[in-house]
Amino acid sequence: SQALWTQVATEAHAAGIAYKLSHSQLLVPEECDFYGDIIFQDEMKHARMCKEIARQLGPQVTIDPAMFNEYGDLERIVSMVTVERAFSYGMEKTLVFWGQYGFREQFIKIDQDEQPHIAHGRKVLKRLMPEYAPQIQAYRKQALRNFRRELMDPFVDILA
């Protein structure tokens, strides 16, 4: 259940990022609206879904909030789209694993919700790339390292 409680924390953190980005000076109003009206709501829903599943599997595990360490809006945008893409990329194994416990449909729904988030994040980054390319590339590498170390490690034993 450690892995799923990590997922709960990750989804809740993503909701917080989306809320912060809904007020970002770096974004145009339509981009802010999408983060606040769509992504924030979806991530809160994902956190609730994962929490319901986690409660069925075992006692709550406390997750150290220090694992989430983005600092500015650009880093938040890059981190969110990078992690969502990596999560979606590994969905096939996730569905096989959680499907054996009867939770396949919940993870299909999460993945379906993530697709417009990913498309939105990519569109935002494409707009910002001319001005911020070196930072975006650096933040993407860091987000991938963090995803592997902090978010995938708890799943390694169960998804191997």
Side-chain angles (χ1 to χ4, degrees):
S1 73
Q2 163 77 40
L4 204 48
W5 285 109
T6 300
Q7 183 73 27
V8 172
T10 301
E11 299 289 355
H13 183 70
I17 289 174
Y19 179 80
K20 288 177 182 178
L21 290 174
S22 73
H23 298 89
S24 175
Q25 299 299 310
L26 190 60
L27 302 174
V28 299
E30 296 80 21
E31 293 167 344
C32 289
D33 291 346
F34 194 88
Y35 277 106
D37 297 340
I38 306 297
I39 298 178
F40 171 74
Q41 298 298 328
D42 286 349
E43 299 300 342
M44 289 296 292
K45 178 177 59 178
H46 300 166
R48 287 190 298 272
M49 286 170 47
C50 290
K51 191 173 192 175
E52 288 174 21
I53 295 169
R55 284 182 173 158
Q56 294 176 45
L57 299 176
Q60 184 166 350
V61 175
T62 302
I63 305 301
D64 181 2
M67 70 181 279
F68 304 113
N69 55 8
E70 86 292 323
Y71 300 101
D73 289 349
L74 182 61
E75 191 173 355
R76 289 180 180 117
I77 295 164
V78 173
S79 177
M80 179 171 272
V81 74
T82 302
V83 169
E84 287 178 332
R85 286 179 66 201
F87 177 78
S88 186
Y89 180 76
M91 187 52 60
E92 187 175 313
K93 284 185 177 183
T94 300
L95 293 177
V96 168
F97 178 79
W98 291 113
Q100 68 186 340
Y101 296 101
F103 302 119
R104 180 179 169 82
E105 295 305 313
Q106 290 92 327
F107 284 92
I108 287 173
K109 177 62 179 146
I110 290 171
D111 189 48
Q112 288 171 341
D113 289 347
E114 299 296 2
Q115 297 313 307
H117 302 183
I118 293 166
H120 177 74
R122 291 175 111 174
K123 183 179 169 187
V124 170
L125 289 177
K126 184 176 181 179
R127 181 181 66 78
L128 296 172
M129 189 63 83
E131 187 173 349
Y132 298 103
Q135 296 98 318
I136 289 170
Q137 291 167 355
Y139 293 153
R140 184 176 289 132
K141 287 178 186 174
Q142 183 61 42
L144 281 172
R145 280 192 299 272
N146 289 346
F147 177 78
R148 289 184 184 119
R149 182 182 68 244
E150 297 160 353
L151 304 179
M152 287 306 295
D153 281 356
F155 287 95
V156 167
D157 292 336
I158 61 176
L159 293 178

